[in-house]
Amino acid sequence: MASIMEGPLSKWTNVMKGWQYRWFVLDYNAGLLSYYTSKDKMMRGSRRGCVRLRGAVIGIDDEDDSTFTITVDQKTFHFQARDADEREKWIHALEGTILRHTLQLQEAETGFVPSVQDFDKKLAEADAYLQILIDQLKLFDEKIKDCKEDESRRKIENLKETTCSMVESIKHCIVLLQIAKSTINPVDGIYQPPLDTPVVNTTMPTQTTLPTGSGPSGPSSGVASPAHIPLPSHSVPDFSYSSSEDEFYDADEFSSTSPKHCIDPSGPAAASPLTNEQTALKRPNTTESLNSSMSNGTTDTDQFDSHDDRDDDGEGESVEEHKSVIMHLLSQVRLGMDLTKVVLPTFILERRSLLEMYADFFAHPDLFVSISEQAEPRDRMVHVVKWYLSAFHAGRKGSVAKKPYNPILGEVFYCHWDLPPSESDEPPQHTEAISDGPVPWSSPNSVCFVAEQVSHHPPISAFYAECLSKKIQFNAHIWTKSKFLGMSIGVHNIGQGCVSCLEYDEHYILTFPNGYGRSILTVPWVELGGECNISCSKSGYSANIVFHTKPFYGGKKHRITAEIFAPNDKKSYCSIEGEWNGIMFAKWATGENTVFIDTKKLGIVKKKVRKPEDQLEYESRRLWRDVTLNLKLKDIDAATEAKHRLEEKQRAEARERKEKEQQWETRLFHEDGECWVYDEPLLKRLASQRP
């Protein structure tokens, strides 16, 4: 066996036995991670189990710096290294082995095997381009010689120095490619690994080092031992196995078929932006445009879009025919990689914009306005927490997680909710539309919502909501940073929101949890994680909320715990626990236990959105309607083409702004320090009406 790396790791066995020490050996040539109960057992060749790495996927959790997983053959193996550095060494070596053997599998399936001639041709092309760069370097000397100004001469010399460094790096890369060609030592264009792999003795994991000679030499940092003899091909098992019959796997997170045949990618609450350039060069008079675009003589039924994102069907359909695209996408990213510039395939999109998804924070508008109806600050803080915890379950409209459209710079979304009828069940009386609010066609008793994509780099969305009759408003901004975690995608939501009760001059500052798209190669699902805070500086009340991610060795999904504190108190007067998409229970300082929220019994109020033909050209549903329509018709090619046209238009107009040296101006929000604030909030409008 030619090892690339070996050393101790802890392996999770089951709930009864927990973590157990094992000695691991990574065989680069065989694509196998074998483990033994001890190093002595490894020397005797008494293997406890093995993980076949061809087609495997590595996963990490960014909240734990020592554990990692390998998913293959319908199983998930859990490992724990000594620390973050040791985990990084193992992952680096495992990724290289997985990539090599996965590519061999793809070549075998497609019948395409690159030849030595193809490799030589690419090397010749690279060398030709290198010569062109070297010739261009000579021009710097002429420029420096002709330059008479000292400052300009220094700039050219610095540029020459940088270019020389780049050329040296390219030379080095070409040399390494030549070494790699010799190292691979292909026969008839197919990789034949060398058997005389030199090894180095060590008791700790060691990474592969680059060969320094041109002769055949494989990865060279394993451990030499009597057990390390070349394995014939039949020694590599068809499936990963463990001799522990009660081995623990994430069985509840996987379907009965192999991951190879049930790939269905996910997207988190928010992730990798597409191209976020804008559609217009000048900032319009938005209120005037909104009023002028309303249809005349329409009834309430005719006025609003009958489409609602919750009515969509087929969101969980199989994407078996797209699995090669998913695997290609995963092959382009590495653990911990920022996904900001990774363009995801069209078929995993959710058929609505991220801006519209943020509107789900107000799917229970009655809970939002109830904050301002409480007479005491203690009760107002409780109702802020109640509304906050009820705001997340409405964001997912299907069992399979998908990714919303990344908003384009300057894109906006408008909607409103009519408050549910009171206990008397009398129909609400007709009220005139308000003309100076964010949604001019809504009533004073409605909760109005508006959102705008205010920045492209970084991707920042700002949104605002208010209820005029209750004198309450909410202003927030979120900057989404996504990261690839192997079997998961993490989205860090950076930003904050502010609930303002204008009657009491109270402002509740709150933060948002992170989102995770889990099990992206099987049945994707979303969970939230992280610690969030709510505080009111005037009243002194505060709350601490923790969204717990599911531990792999048991525990529940979607669990939350929360504590609400009175001013200057270290002991909470209300403790909350439960699931954010289920039932949450409250334990009060008096000893009373109550149901705090039951999301299963909360009726979601549908938002009202104008028909696309009545919308402005940069409103979300009108902007994305071609993509949405074709996704609903399951015409992926047409949806991709519609998305591409939209992106190209934004790129062209961004270039035009750059050529004209014009800065993009936001439509509805402005930057105030580190926050984005709505231009005409209710607080400002009420203040202007006072004598």
Side-chain angles (χ1 to χ4, degrees), residues 58-90:
I58 301 177
I60 62 173
D61 191 331
D62 61 348
E63 295 184 2
D64 185 342
D65 62 359
S66 62
T67 61
F68 65 96
T69 63
I70 300 177
T71 301
V72 69
D73 298 334
Q74 305 179 57
K75 302 179 180 69
T76 295
F77 295 85
H78 299 267
F79 307 97
Q80 186 175 50
R82 183 182 59 179
D83 51 33
D85 290 339
E86 185 176 309
R87 181 181 76 169
E88 183 64 27
K89 292 176 182 178
W90 276 104

PDB file of all heavy atoms in Angstrom, residues 58-90:
ATOM      1  N   ILE A  58     -16.433  15.680   1.103  1.00  0.00           N
ATOM      2  CA  ILE A  58     -15.988  16.063   2.445  1.00  0.00           C
ATOM      3  C   ILE A  58     -16.868  17.196   2.951  1.00  0.00           C
ATOM      4  O   ILE A  58     -17.233  18.102   2.204  1.00  0.00           O
ATOM      5  CB  ILE A  58     -14.513  16.502   2.433  1.00  0.00           C
ATOM      6  CG1 ILE A  58     -13.627  15.367   1.925  1.00  0.00           C
ATOM      7  CG2 ILE A  58     -14.067  16.929   3.826  1.00  0.00           C
ATOM      8  CD1 ILE A  58     -12.176  15.736   1.809  1.00  0.00           C
ATOM      9  N   GLY A  59     -17.198  17.163   4.222  1.00  0.00           N
ATOM     10  CA  GLY A  59     -17.999  18.224   4.819  1.00  0.00           C
ATOM     11  C   GLY A  59     -17.367  18.725   6.098  1.00  0.00           C
ATOM     12  O   GLY A  59     -16.713  17.981   6.833  1.00  0.00           O
ATOM     13  N   ILE A  60     -17.541  20.008   6.375  1.00  0.00           N
ATOM     14  CA  ILE A  60     -17.086  20.594   7.632  1.00  0.00           C
ATOM     15  C   ILE A  60     -18.195  21.461   8.189  1.00  0.00           C
ATOM     16  O   ILE A  60     -19.163  21.771   7.505  1.00  0.00           O
ATOM     17  CB  ILE A  60     -15.811  21.463   7.451  1.00  0.00           C
ATOM     18  CG1 ILE A  60     -16.098  22.644   6.500  1.00  0.00           C
ATOM     19  CG2 ILE A  60     -14.642  20.630   6.991  1.00  0.00           C
ATOM     20  CD1 ILE A  60     -14.961  23.635   6.413  1.00  0.00           C
ATOM     21  N   ASP A  61     -18.067  21.827   9.446  1.00  0.00           N
ATOM     22  CA  ASP A  61     -18.999  22.744  10.091  1.00  0.00           C
ATOM     23  C   ASP A  61     -18.190  23.944  10.543  1.00  0.00           C
ATOM     24  O   ASP A  61     -17.225  23.804  11.301  1.00  0.00           O
ATOM     25  CB  ASP A  61     -19.679  22.066  11.285  1.00  0.00           C
ATOM     26  CG  ASP A  61     -20.840  22.880  11.830  1.00  0.00           C
ATOM     27  OD1 ASP A  61     -20.784  24.122  11.692  1.00  0.00           O
ATOM     28  OD2 ASP A  61     -21.775  22.302  12.385  1.00  0.00           O
ATOM     29  N   ASP A  62     -18.559  25.139  10.087  1.00  0.00           N
ATOM     30  CA  ASP A  62     -17.760  26.316  10.430  1.00  0.00           C
ATOM     31  C   ASP A  62     -17.902  26.716  11.886  1.00  0.00           C
ATOM     32  O   ASP A  62     -17.247  27.640  12.351  1.00  0.00           O
ATOM     33  CB  ASP A  62     -18.102  27.496   9.512  1.00  0.00           C
ATOM     34  CG  ASP A  62     -19.546  27.921   9.633  1.00  0.00           C
ATOM     35  OD1 ASP A  62     -20.334  27.175  10.251  1.00  0.00           O
ATOM     36  OD2 ASP A  62     -19.887  29.002   9.104  1.00  0.00           O
ATOM     37  N   GLU A  63     -18.777  26.037  12.635  1.00  0.00           N
ATOM     38  CA  GLU A  63     -18.887  26.312  14.066  1.00  0.00           C
ATOM     39  C   GLU A  63     -18.033  25.348  14.888  1.00  0.00           C
ATOM     40  O   GLU A  63     -17.991  25.419  16.100  1.00  0.00           O
ATOM     41  CB  GLU A  63     -20.353  26.220  14.497  1.00  0.00           C
ATOM     42  CG  GLU A  63     -21.234  27.294  13.855  1.00  0.00           C
ATOM     43  CD  GLU A  63     -22.657  27.257  14.369  1.00  0.00           C
ATOM     44  OE1 GLU A  63     -22.943  26.428  15.256  1.00  0.00           O
ATOM     45  OE2 GLU A  63     -23.464  28.073  13.910  1.00  0.00           O
ATOM     46  N   ASP A  64     -17.345  24.428  14.238  1.00  0.00           N
ATOM     47  CA  ASP A  64     -16.480  23.453  14.909  1.00  0.00           C
ATOM     48  C   ASP A  64     -15.227  23.314  14.069  1.00  0.00           C
ATOM     49  O   ASP A  64     -15.300  22.971  12.897  1.00  0.00           O
ATOM     50  CB  ASP A  64     -17.206  22.117  15.035  1.00  0.00           C
ATOM     51  CG  ASP A  64     -16.413  21.087  15.831  1.00  0.00           C
ATOM     52  OD1 ASP A  64     -15.200  21.280  15.990  1.00  0.00           O
ATOM     53  OD2 ASP A  64     -17.007  20.095  16.283  1.00  0.00           O
ATOM     54  N   ASP A  65     -14.060  23.582  14.645  1.00  0.00           N
ATOM     55  CA  ASP A  65     -12.836  23.640  13.841  1.00  0.00           C
ATOM     56  C   ASP A  65     -12.031  22.349  13.846  1.00  0.00           C
ATOM     57  O   ASP A  65     -10.928  22.309  13.298  1.00  0.00           O
ATOM     58  CB  ASP A  65     -11.947  24.793  14.320  1.00  0.00           C
ATOM     59  CG  ASP A  65     -11.499  24.628  15.775  1.00  0.00           C
ATOM     60  OD1 ASP A  65     -11.892  23.628  16.404  1.00  0.00           O
ATOM     61  OD2 ASP A  65     -10.771  25.511  16.270  1.00  0.00           O
ATOM     62  N   SER A  66     -12.561  21.266  14.422  1.00  0.00           N
ATOM     63  CA  SER A  66     -11.766  20.037  14.467  1.00  0.00           C
ATOM     64  C   SER A  66     -12.450  18.834  13.813  1.00  0.00           C
ATOM     65  O   SER A  66     -11.788  17.850  13.504  1.00  0.00           O
ATOM     66  CB  SER A  66     -11.414  19.681  15.917  1.00  0.00           C
ATOM     67  OG  SER A  66     -12.587  19.433  16.673  1.00  0.00           O
ATOM     68  N   THR A  67     -13.756  18.866  13.619  1.00  0.00           N
ATOM     69  CA  THR A  67     -14.459  17.705  13.061  1.00  0.00           C
ATOM     70  C   THR A  67     -14.679  17.860  11.557  1.00  0.00           C
ATOM     71  O   THR A  67     -14.725  18.972  11.040  1.00  0.00           O
ATOM     72  CB  THR A  67     -15.821  17.498  13.744  1.00  0.00           C
ATOM     73  OG1 THR A  67     -16.637  18.657  13.528  1.00  0.00           O
ATOM     74  CG2 THR A  67     -15.659  17.262  15.223  1.00  0.00           C
ATOM     75  N   PHE A  68     -14.826  16.727  10.866  1.00  0.00           N
ATOM     76  CA  PHE A  68     -15.179  16.733   9.454  1.00  0.00           C
ATOM     77  C   PHE A  68     -15.873  15.425   9.129  1.00  0.00           C
ATOM     78  O   PHE A  68     -15.842  14.461   9.925  1.00  0.00           O
ATOM     79  CB  PHE A  68     -13.949  16.965   8.556  1.00  0.00           C
ATOM     80  CG  PHE A  68     -12.912  15.879   8.608  1.00  0.00           C
ATOM     81  CD1 PHE A  68     -12.883  14.849   7.668  1.00  0.00           C
ATOM     82  CD2 PHE A  68     -11.926  15.890   9.592  1.00  0.00           C
ATOM     83  CE1 PHE A  68     -11.916  13.864   7.700  1.00  0.00           C
ATOM     84  CE2 PHE A  68     -10.952  14.901   9.645  1.00  0.00           C
ATOM     85  CZ  PHE A  68     -10.944  13.886   8.696  1.00  0.00           C
ATOM     86  N   THR A  69     -16.529  15.375   7.983  1.00  0.00           N
ATOM     87  CA  THR A  69     -17.253  14.179   7.570  1.00  0.00           C
ATOM     88  C   THR A  69     -16.832  13.769   6.161  1.00  0.00           C
ATOM     89  O   THR A  69     -16.372  14.595   5.371  1.00  0.00           O
ATOM     90  CB  THR A  69     -18.780  14.416   7.577  1.00  0.00           C
ATOM     91  OG1 THR A  69     -19.099  15.437   6.618  1.00  0.00           O
ATOM     92  CG2 THR A  69     -19.269  14.818   8.946  1.00  0.00           C
ATOM     93  N   ILE A  70     -16.998  12.500   5.859  1.00  0.00           N
ATOM     94  CA  ILE A  70     -16.843  11.983   4.499  1.00  0.00           C
ATOM     95  C   ILE A  70     -18.120  11.230   4.170  1.00  0.00           C
ATOM     96  O   ILE A  70     -18.512  10.308   4.895  1.00  0.00           O
ATOM     97  CB  ILE A  70     -15.632  11.047   4.372  1.00  0.00           C
ATOM     98  CG1 ILE A  70     -14.333  11.779   4.730  1.00  0.00           C
ATOM     99  CG2 ILE A  70     -15.535  10.494   2.946  1.00  0.00           C
ATOM    100  CD1 ILE A  70     -13.105  10.888   4.704  1.00  0.00           C
ATOM    101  N   THR A  71     -18.786  11.637   3.097  1.00  0.00           N
ATOM    102  CA  THR A  71     -20.040  11.015   2.687  1.00  0.00           C
ATOM    103  C   THR A  71     -19.824  10.253   1.387  1.00  0.00           C
ATOM    104  O   THR A  71     -19.392  10.830   0.386  1.00  0.00           O
ATOM    105  CB  THR A  71     -21.135  12.077   2.491  1.00  0.00           C
ATOM    106  OG1 THR A  71     -21.315  12.781   3.722  1.00  0.00           O
ATOM    107  CG2 THR A  71     -22.454  11.429   2.081  1.00  0.00           C
ATOM    108  N   VAL A  72     -20.124   8.955   1.410  1.00  0.00           N
ATOM    109  CA  VAL A  72     -19.967   8.109   0.234  1.00  0.00           C
ATOM    110  C   VAL A  72     -20.718   6.804   0.485  1.00  0.00           C
ATOM    111  O   VAL A  72     -20.906   6.394   1.635  1.00  0.00           O
ATOM    112  CB  VAL A  72     -18.463   7.830  -0.045  1.00  0.00           C
ATOM    113  CG1 VAL A  72     -17.860   6.944   1.030  1.00  0.00           C
ATOM    114  CG2 VAL A  72     -18.240   7.235  -1.427  1.00  0.00           C
ATOM    115  N   ASP A  73     -21.185   6.187  -0.584  1.00  0.00           N
ATOM    116  CA  ASP A  73     -21.853   4.884  -0.487  1.00  0.00           C
ATOM    117  C   ASP A  73     -23.010   4.900   0.510  1.00  0.00           C
ATOM    118  O   ASP A  73     -23.180   3.983   1.312  1.00  0.00           O
ATOM    119  CB  ASP A  73     -20.851   3.784  -0.088  1.00  0.00           C
ATOM    120  CG  ASP A  73     -19.747   3.607  -1.110  1.00  0.00           C
ATOM    121  OD1 ASP A  73     -19.979   3.919  -2.287  1.00  0.00           O
ATOM    122  OD2 ASP A  73     -18.652   3.166  -0.730  1.00  0.00           O
ATOM    123  N   GLN A  74     -23.825   5.968   0.482  1.00  0.00           N
ATOM    124  CA  GLN A  74     -24.996   6.116   1.337  1.00  0.00           C
ATOM    125  C   GLN A  74     -24.652   6.219   2.816  1.00  0.00           C
ATOM    126  O   GLN A  74     -25.517   6.074   3.674  1.00  0.00           O
ATOM    127  CB  GLN A  74     -25.981   4.954   1.153  1.00  0.00           C
ATOM    128  CG  GLN A  74     -26.416   4.732  -0.294  1.00  0.00           C
ATOM    129  CD  GLN A  74     -27.355   3.561  -0.412  1.00  0.00           C
ATOM    130  OE1 GLN A  74     -28.391   3.530   0.232  1.00  0.00           O
ATOM    131  NE2 GLN A  74     -27.007   2.595  -1.241  1.00  0.00           N
ATOM    132  N   LYS A  75     -23.399   6.449   3.148  1.00  0.00           N
ATOM    133  CA  LYS A  75     -22.975   6.537   4.543  1.00  0.00           C
ATOM    134  C   LYS A  75     -22.269   7.864   4.784  1.00  0.00           C
ATOM    135  O   LYS A  75     -21.658   8.418   3.877  1.00  0.00           O
ATOM    136  CB  LYS A  75     -22.023   5.398   4.909  1.00  0.00           C
ATOM    137  CG  LYS A  75     -22.579   3.994   4.707  1.00  0.00           C
ATOM    138  CD  LYS A  75     -21.543   2.955   5.083  1.00  0.00           C
ATOM    139  CE  LYS A  75     -22.068   1.540   4.899  1.00  0.00           C
ATOM    140  NZ  LYS A  75     -22.251   1.198   3.468  1.00  0.00           N
ATOM    141  N   THR A  76     -22.340   8.338   6.010  1.00  0.00           N
ATOM    142  CA  THR A  76     -21.572   9.499   6.420  1.00  0.00           C
ATOM    143  C   THR A  76     -20.673   9.096   7.581  1.00  0.00           C
ATOM    144  O   THR A  76     -21.160   8.657   8.634  1.00  0.00           O
ATOM    145  CB  THR A  76     -22.489  10.657   6.843  1.00  0.00           C
ATOM    146  OG1 THR A  76     -23.243  11.098   5.719  1.00  0.00           O
ATOM    147  CG2 THR A  76     -21.667  11.833   7.369  1.00  0.00           C
ATOM    148  N   PHE A  77     -19.366   9.201   7.398  1.00  0.00           N
ATOM    149  CA  PHE A  77     -18.390   8.894   8.438  1.00  0.00           C
ATOM    150  C   PHE A  77     -17.979  10.204   9.109  1.00  0.00           C
ATOM    151  O   PHE A  77     -17.680  11.195   8.436  1.00  0.00           O
ATOM    152  CB  PHE A  77     -17.153   8.215   7.832  1.00  0.00           C
ATOM    153  CG  PHE A  77     -17.437   6.865   7.221  1.00  0.00           C
ATOM    154  CD1 PHE A  77     -17.900   6.762   5.908  1.00  0.00           C
ATOM    155  CD2 PHE A  77     -17.251   5.705   7.949  1.00  0.00           C
ATOM    156  CE1 PHE A  77     -18.162   5.524   5.339  1.00  0.00           C
ATOM    157  CE2 PHE A  77     -17.507   4.462   7.382  1.00  0.00           C
ATOM    158  CZ  PHE A  77     -17.959   4.360   6.076  1.00  0.00           C
ATOM    159  N   HIS A  78     -17.910  10.209  10.429  1.00  0.00           N
ATOM    160  CA  HIS A  78     -17.575  11.411  11.199  1.00  0.00           C
ATOM    161  C   HIS A  78     -16.200  11.238  11.849  1.00  0.00           C
ATOM    162  O   HIS A  78     -15.926  10.203  12.479  1.00  0.00           O
ATOM    163  CB  HIS A  78     -18.624  11.660  12.275  1.00  0.00           C
ATOM    164  CG  HIS A  78     -19.993  11.892  11.721  1.00  0.00           C
ATOM    165  ND1 HIS A  78     -20.494  13.147  11.451  1.00  0.00           N
ATOM    166  CD2 HIS A  78     -20.971  11.025  11.377  1.00  0.00           C
ATOM    167  CE1 HIS A  78     -21.720  13.039  10.970  1.00  0.00           C
ATOM    168  NE2 HIS A  78     -22.035  11.764  10.919  1.00  0.00           N
ATOM    169  N   PHE A  79     -15.361  12.254  11.708  1.00  0.00           N
ATOM    170  CA  PHE A  79     -14.001  12.200  12.233  1.00  0.00           C
ATOM    171  C   PHE A  79     -13.704  13.466  13.034  1.00  0.00           C
ATOM    172  O   PHE A  79     -14.286  14.531  12.788  1.00  0.00           O
ATOM    173  CB  PHE A  79     -12.981  12.073  11.093  1.00  0.00           C
ATOM    174  CG  PHE A  79     -13.263  10.937  10.149  1.00  0.00           C
ATOM    175  CD1 PHE A  79     -13.933  11.153   8.956  1.00  0.00           C
ATOM    176  CD2 PHE A  79     -12.880   9.645  10.465  1.00  0.00           C
ATOM    177  CE1 PHE A  79     -14.210  10.110   8.083  1.00  0.00           C
ATOM    178  CE2 PHE A  79     -13.151   8.590   9.604  1.00  0.00           C
ATOM    179  CZ  PHE A  79     -13.822   8.821   8.415  1.00  0.00           C
ATOM    180  N   GLN A  80     -12.766  13.319  13.963  1.00  0.00           N
ATOM    181  CA  GLN A  80     -12.346  14.472  14.764  1.00  0.00           C
ATOM    182  C   GLN A  80     -10.830  14.481  14.847  1.00  0.00           C
ATOM    183  O   GLN A  80     -10.206  13.502  15.281  1.00  0.00           O
ATOM    184  CB  GLN A  80     -12.952  14.404  16.164  1.00  0.00           C
ATOM    185  CG  GLN A  80     -12.661  15.644  16.999  1.00  0.00           C
ATOM    186  CD  GLN A  80     -13.366  15.605  18.333  1.00  0.00           C
ATOM    187  OE1 GLN A  80     -13.280  14.618  19.058  1.00  0.00           O
ATOM    188  NE2 GLN A  80     -14.095  16.648  18.665  1.00  0.00           N
ATOM    189  N   ALA A  81     -10.235  15.593  14.412  1.00  0.00           N
ATOM    190  CA  ALA A  81      -8.790  15.768  14.497  1.00  0.00           C
ATOM    191  C   ALA A  81      -8.431  16.428  15.826  1.00  0.00           C
ATOM    192  O   ALA A  81      -9.298  16.863  16.581  1.00  0.00           O
ATOM    193  CB  ALA A  81      -8.298  16.612  13.321  1.00  0.00           C
ATOM    194  N   ARG A  82      -7.138  16.532  16.070  1.00  0.00           N
ATOM    195  CA  ARG A  82      -6.687  17.128  17.329  1.00  0.00           C
ATOM    196  C   ARG A  82      -7.006  18.615  17.385  1.00  0.00           C
ATOM    197  O   ARG A  82      -7.417  19.149  18.412  1.00  0.00           O
ATOM    198  CB  ARG A  82      -5.182  16.908  17.491  1.00  0.00           C
ATOM    199  CG  ARG A  82      -4.608  17.431  18.795  1.00  0.00           C
ATOM    200  CD  ARG A  82      -3.111  17.217  18.846  1.00  0.00           C
ATOM    201  NE  ARG A  82      -2.443  17.892  17.737  1.00  0.00           N
ATOM    202  CZ  ARG A  82      -1.129  17.889  17.553  1.00  0.00           C
ATOM    203  NH1 ARG A  82      -0.350  17.195  18.385  1.00  0.00           N
ATOM    204  NH2 ARG A  82      -0.583  18.513  16.529  1.00  0.00           N
ATOM    205  N   ASP A  83      -6.842  19.312  16.245  1.00  0.00           N
ATOM    206  CA  ASP A  83      -7.106  20.745  16.199  1.00  0.00           C
ATOM    207  C   ASP A  83      -7.380  21.146  14.754  1.00  0.00           C
ATOM    208  O   ASP A  83      -7.425  20.303  13.842  1.00  0.00           O
ATOM    209  CB  ASP A  83      -5.922  21.548  16.766  1.00  0.00           C
ATOM    210  CG  ASP A  83      -4.585  21.157  16.156  1.00  0.00           C
ATOM    211  OD1 ASP A  83      -4.565  20.795  14.952  1.00  0.00           O
ATOM    212  OD2 ASP A  83      -3.560  21.207  16.841  1.00  0.00           O
ATOM    213  N   ALA A  84      -7.558  22.444  14.526  1.00  0.00           N
ATOM    214  CA  ALA A  84      -7.907  22.947  13.193  1.00  0.00           C
ATOM    215  C   ALA A  84      -6.788  22.692  12.179  1.00  0.00           C
ATOM    216  O   ALA A  84      -7.055  22.357  11.021  1.00  0.00           O
ATOM    217  CB  ALA A  84      -8.225  24.436  13.265  1.00  0.00           C
ATOM    218  N   ASP A  85      -5.526  22.854  12.596  1.00  0.00           N
ATOM    219  CA  ASP A  85      -4.405  22.654  11.668  1.00  0.00           C
ATOM    220  C   ASP A  85      -4.329  21.204  11.205  1.00  0.00           C
ATOM    221  O   ASP A  85      -4.094  20.918  10.031  1.00  0.00           O
ATOM    222  CB  ASP A  85      -3.091  23.055  12.336  1.00  0.00           C
ATOM    223  CG  ASP A  85      -2.984  24.560  12.542  1.00  0.00           C
ATOM    224  OD1 ASP A  85      -3.698  25.297  11.830  1.00  0.00           O
ATOM    225  OD2 ASP A  85      -2.203  24.990  13.410  1.00  0.00           O
ATOM    226  N   GLU A  86      -4.517  20.279  12.141  1.00  0.00           N
ATOM    227  CA  GLU A  86      -4.463  18.864  11.776  1.00  0.00           C
ATOM    228  C   GLU A  86      -5.618  18.500  10.843  1.00  0.00           C
ATOM    229  O   GLU A  86      -5.447  17.751   9.877  1.00  0.00           O
ATOM    230  CB  GLU A  86      -4.509  18.000  13.040  1.00  0.00           C
ATOM    231  CG  GLU A  86      -4.328  16.515  12.763  1.00  0.00           C
ATOM    232  CD  GLU A  86      -4.285  15.704  14.048  1.00  0.00           C
ATOM    233  OE1 GLU A  86      -3.496  16.077  14.943  1.00  0.00           O
ATOM    234  OE2 GLU A  86      -5.049  14.726  14.159  1.00  0.00           O
ATOM    235  N   ARG A  87      -6.811  19.049  11.130  1.00  0.00           N
ATOM    236  CA  ARG A  87      -7.949  18.798  10.238  1.00  0.00           C
ATOM    237  C   ARG A  87      -7.661  19.318   8.841  1.00  0.00           C
ATOM    238  O   ARG A  87      -7.976  18.669   7.842  1.00  0.00           O
ATOM    239  CB  ARG A  87      -9.217  19.466  10.780  1.00  0.00           C
ATOM    240  CG  ARG A  87     -10.442  19.206   9.904  1.00  0.00           C
ATOM    241  CD  ARG A  87     -11.684  19.885  10.439  1.00  0.00           C
ATOM    242  NE  ARG A  87     -11.697  21.318  10.179  1.00  0.00           N
ATOM    243  CZ  ARG A  87     -12.754  22.106  10.363  1.00  0.00           C
ATOM    244  NH1 ARG A  87     -13.874  21.597  10.834  1.00  0.00           N
ATOM    245  NH2 ARG A  87     -12.684  23.399  10.117  1.00  0.00           N
ATOM    246  N   GLU A  88      -7.035  20.493   8.736  1.00  0.00           N
ATOM    247  CA  GLU A  88      -6.733  21.078   7.435  1.00  0.00           C
ATOM    248  C   GLU A  88      -5.781  20.194   6.639  1.00  0.00           C
ATOM    249  O   GLU A  88      -5.933  20.023   5.423  1.00  0.00           O
ATOM    250  CB  GLU A  88      -6.128  22.475   7.629  1.00  0.00           C
ATOM    251  CG  GLU A  88      -5.839  23.220   6.336  1.00  0.00           C
ATOM    252  CD  GLU A  88      -7.098  23.533   5.543  1.00  0.00           C
ATOM    253  OE1 GLU A  88      -8.182  23.657   6.157  1.00  0.00           O
ATOM    254  OE2 GLU A  88      -7.003  23.653   4.310  1.00  0.00           O
ATOM    255  N   LYS A  89      -4.800  19.594   7.307  1.00  0.00           N
ATOM    256  CA  LYS A  89      -3.853  18.707   6.622  1.00  0.00           C
ATOM    257  C   LYS A  89      -4.563  17.470   6.068  1.00  0.00           C
ATOM    258  O   LYS A  89      -4.326  17.060   4.929  1.00  0.00           O
ATOM    259  CB  LYS A  89      -2.740  18.293   7.582  1.00  0.00           C
ATOM    260  CG  LYS A  89      -1.806  19.430   7.974  1.00  0.00           C
ATOM    261  CD  LYS A  89      -0.784  18.969   9.004  1.00  0.00           C
ATOM    262  CE  LYS A  89       0.127  20.117   9.431  1.00  0.00           C
ATOM    263  NZ  LYS A  89       1.099  19.700  10.472  1.00  0.00           N
ATOM    264  N   TRP A  90      -5.429  16.881   6.890  1.00  0.00           N
ATOM    265  CA  TRP A  90      -6.165  15.703   6.423  1.00  0.00           C
ATOM    266  C   TRP A  90      -7.076  16.055   5.255  1.00  0.00           C
ATOM    267  O   TRP A  90      -7.143  15.326   4.255  1.00  0.00           O
ATOM    268  CB  TRP A  90      -6.988  15.114   7.573  1.00  0.00           C
ATOM    269  CG  TRP A  90      -6.217  14.183   8.457  1.00  0.00           C
ATOM    270  CD1 TRP A  90      -5.733  14.428   9.705  1.00  0.00           C
ATOM    271  CD2 TRP A  90      -5.829  12.840   8.153  1.00  0.00           C
ATOM    272  NE1 TRP A  90      -5.074  13.346  10.208  1.00  0.00           N
ATOM    273  CE2 TRP A  90      -5.118  12.333   9.269  1.00  0.00           C
ATOM    274  CE3 TRP A  90      -6.010  12.009   7.062  1.00  0.00           C
ATOM    275  CZ2 TRP A  90      -4.592  11.052   9.309  1.00  0.00           C
ATOM    276  CZ3 TRP A  90      -5.495  10.724   7.097  1.00  0.00           C
ATOM    277  CH2 TRP A  90      -4.788  10.246   8.199  1.00  0.00           C
TER     278      TRP A  90
END
